[in-house]
Amino acid sequence: MGFLSREQLETLGFSELGSNVFISDKASFYNPTKISVGSHVRIDDFCVLSAGEGGIKIGDYVHIAVFSSLIGSGRIKLSDFVNISSRVSIYSSNDDYSGTSMSNPMVPREFKNVQSANVELHKHVIVGSGSVVLPGVTLNEGVAIGALSLVVKDCEAFTVFSGVPAKPLKPRKKDLKLLEIKFRESR
């Protein structure tokens, strides 16, 4: 995987750009002036980040794996230590599927009923491969989402969720909070 140089990253025009950032030269960014990237961030091949009016804010020590996408008009926030596995889609906007309006970006706004809402992933969230997170969802601290899940509502902290729609399975251990303290002290 080829990563963009610091000079190349700076020419993209992010609103903020931390240090130790590794972004694939095959990733795509739309409206980068609305995208903030923290430090110690890696974004892999074929990811698409398309920021709408609310923007995209990426914290520190975040990984976004191959073929993932963050798209929509609402704000998308990834807090520190978030891990997005491959082929994850996070949407802060969603078409109306009821049939009462039209959909797709080539149709004028007045014929559509797109709903937008902020999406937030708190510290130490991990989202498994192939999962989809819909607008308005908050994944609270330490949430783990199993692979191929559809997340349609907020998830309780330090809980493992999985399924379509995602449902709570079991508690998640909080040992990683102590590890975070040790990690930060070692830096």
Side-chain angles (χ1 to χ4, degrees):
M1 176 176 343
F3 293 111
L4 297 171
S5 69
R6 181 69 191 194
E7 294 76 27
Q8 290 170 313
L9 289 171
E10 288 173 356
T11 63
L12 290 175
F14 293 118
S15 66
E16 293 179 40
L17 182 62
S19 61
N20 199 34
V21 173
F22 297 93
I23 296 179
S24 167
D25 58 3
K26 295 176 185 70
S28 298
F29 299 91
Y30 300 93
N31 203 7
T33 60
K34 296 271 189 181
I35 300 174
S36 167
V37 180
S39 295
H40 313 286
V41 171
R42 188 174 115 187
I43 301 173
D44 292 346
D45 291 348
F46 311 113
C47 290
V48 176
L49 279 70
S50 180
E53 191 57 38
I56 296 172
K57 181 168 179 52
I58 299 170
D60 298 335
Y61 299 99
V62 171
H63 176 231
I64 303 173
V66 297
F67 291 104
S68 291
S69 59
L70 285 70
I71 298 173
S73 293
R75 185 187 74 240
I76 298 173
K77 181 181 178 188
L78 308 182
S79 298
D80 297 348
F81 301 102
V82 165
N83 187 24
I84 305 297
S85 299
S86 60
R87 299 187 186 279
V88 168
S89 297
I90 299 174
Y91 296 104
S92 64
S93 293
N94 197 13
D95 283 310
D96 179 349
Y97 286 74
S98 70
T100 60
S101 61
M102 297 176 74
S103 65
N104 103 43
M106 300 310 294
V107 174
R109 181 175 293 179
E110 64 265 22
F111 299 100
K112 300 186 296 185
N113 183 28
V114 175
Q115 301 295 310
S116 297
N118 297 339
V119 176
E120 195 162 339
L121 282 64
H122 291 212
K123 285 173 63 173
H124 300 294
V125 164
I126 181 168
V127 182
S129 296
S131 294
V132 176
V133 179
L134 293 182
V137 167
T138 296
L139 303 181
N140 288 293
E141 185 178 13
V143 162
I145 303 296
L148 301 173
S149 295
L150 175 64
V151 186
V152 299
K153 61 182 181 178
D154 295 353
C155 295
E156 184 181 342
F158 288 98
T159 304
V160 177
F161 287 78
S162 188
V164 179
K167 295 187 183 331
L169 295 182
K170 62 183 180 180
R172 185 175 184 213
K173 294 187 179 198
K174 298 180 184 177
D175 299 6
L176 54 87
K177 290 179 77 164
L178 294 174
L179 291 171
E180 177 192 346
I181 292 167
K182 288 180 182 178
F183 172 74
R184 288 191 187 273
E185 288 172 352
S186 74
R187 306 292 294 170

